[in-house]
Amino acid sequence: GFQKIVFLHAALTLGIFEELIYTPRSASQLAKKLHLQKAVLLPLLSGLKHLHYIDEHSKGYSLTRFSSLFLVTERENYLGDYISLFIATWHSWINLPEVIRSGQPNKQMRLLHNQSNVVLHYYLAANAIIRQASSELLSHINLSRVEKIIAGEVGITFVSELLKIKPEVSFTLAS
């Protein structure tokens, strides 16, 4: 769960996906280009490979199709801002013990910027993008054995797309 988001957030923040969009690069090339130490970059690349965000081959690392479509800032369906929103939300919740101790509002929560509709509009836009990703993902999954799905709040879009294809699937939302 959260580890995937942290790996993804690190890669987005460091610019790894942008560096791999047009040509594969070795770990040494990436480290040099991004001004990072190769020894520290390697575990992140390994994690991204394991999570299927990048591929590794003889020419170095390259993007998977999903990453190319949704994790490069210049793409129309870029999801990176949604990940940043998730991280910002998590940071606000991690301060909950201090909020309770002090009885003061959480000053870390700055997502709304005094405009209650900002997050709503962002979620609506992100939902439209996730719907496309969900449809694409579902086209590659063998649904014959799927009987039940458990999803978080973001997964509701995936569940919605799944139910269009296989309405008999039961689901549970866990948030």
Side-chain angles (χ1 to χ4, degrees):
F2 189 70
Q3 295 83 356
K4 292 178 185 179
I5 296 292
V6 173
F7 268 86
L8 193 52
H9 179 65
L12 290 165
T13 302
L14 295 170
I16 289 173
F17 298 117
E18 277 69 31
E19 289 303 320
L20 296 176
I21 186 63
Y22 298 113
T23 183
R25 295 187 190 270
S26 69
S28 297
Q29 291 169 323
L30 275 172
K32 184 176 180 180
K33 183 78 174 167
L34 298 171
H35 308 287
L36 303 170
Q37 295 177 14
K38 180 183 172 185
V40 179
L41 179 61
L42 282 171
L44 177 60
L45 294 174
S46 177
L48 293 170
K49 177 183 164 190
H50 176 75
L51 295 168
H52 307 287
Y53 291 120
I54 61 174
D55 290 320
E56 183 181 19
H57 40 79
S58 61
K59 294 182 180 181
Y61 295 93
S62 63
L63 297 181
T64 60
R65 185 166 189 272
F66 177 87
S67 296
S68 177
L69 290 173
F70 301 107
L71 300 177
V72 177
T73 55
E74 66 188 48
R75 299 293 194 217
E76 179 181 350
N77 295 319
Y78 178 63
L79 290 175
D81 290 332
Y82 184 80
I83 301 301
S84 297
L85 178 63
F86 180 87
I87 293 291
T89 304
W90 185 81
H91 278 295
S92 70
W93 281 104
I94 200 74
N95 292 316
L96 184 59
E98 185 55 36
V99 170
I100 293 169
R101 276 190 203 103
S102 71
Q104 298 298 311
N106 188 344
K107 294 183 175 129
Q108 298 296 319
M109 186 64 158
R110 298 175 199 238
L111 295 176
L112 299 177
H113 303 286
N114 296 323
Q115 297 178 25
S116 60
N117 64 349
V118 169
V119 173
L120 173 62
H121 288 295
Y122 189 81
Y123 274 113
L124 290 173
N127 185 56
I129 294 168
I130 292 170
R131 177 167 280 117
Q132 180 180 346
S134 295
S135 295
E136 183 174 328
L137 178 62
L138 285 169
S139 71
H140 298 292
I141 295 175
N142 178 356
L143 298 176
S144 64
R145 295 177 48 199
V146 175
E147 295 176 9
K148 184 172 186 168
I149 186 167
I150 299 173
E153 60 188 43
V154 174
I156 189 65
T157 303
F158 179 81
V159 170
S160 172
E161 295 299 309
L162 173 63
L163 292 175
K164 289 177 186 175
I165 298 169
K166 193 170 182 184
E168 68 275 12
V169 171
S170 65
F171 64 93
T172 301
L173 293 180
S175 182

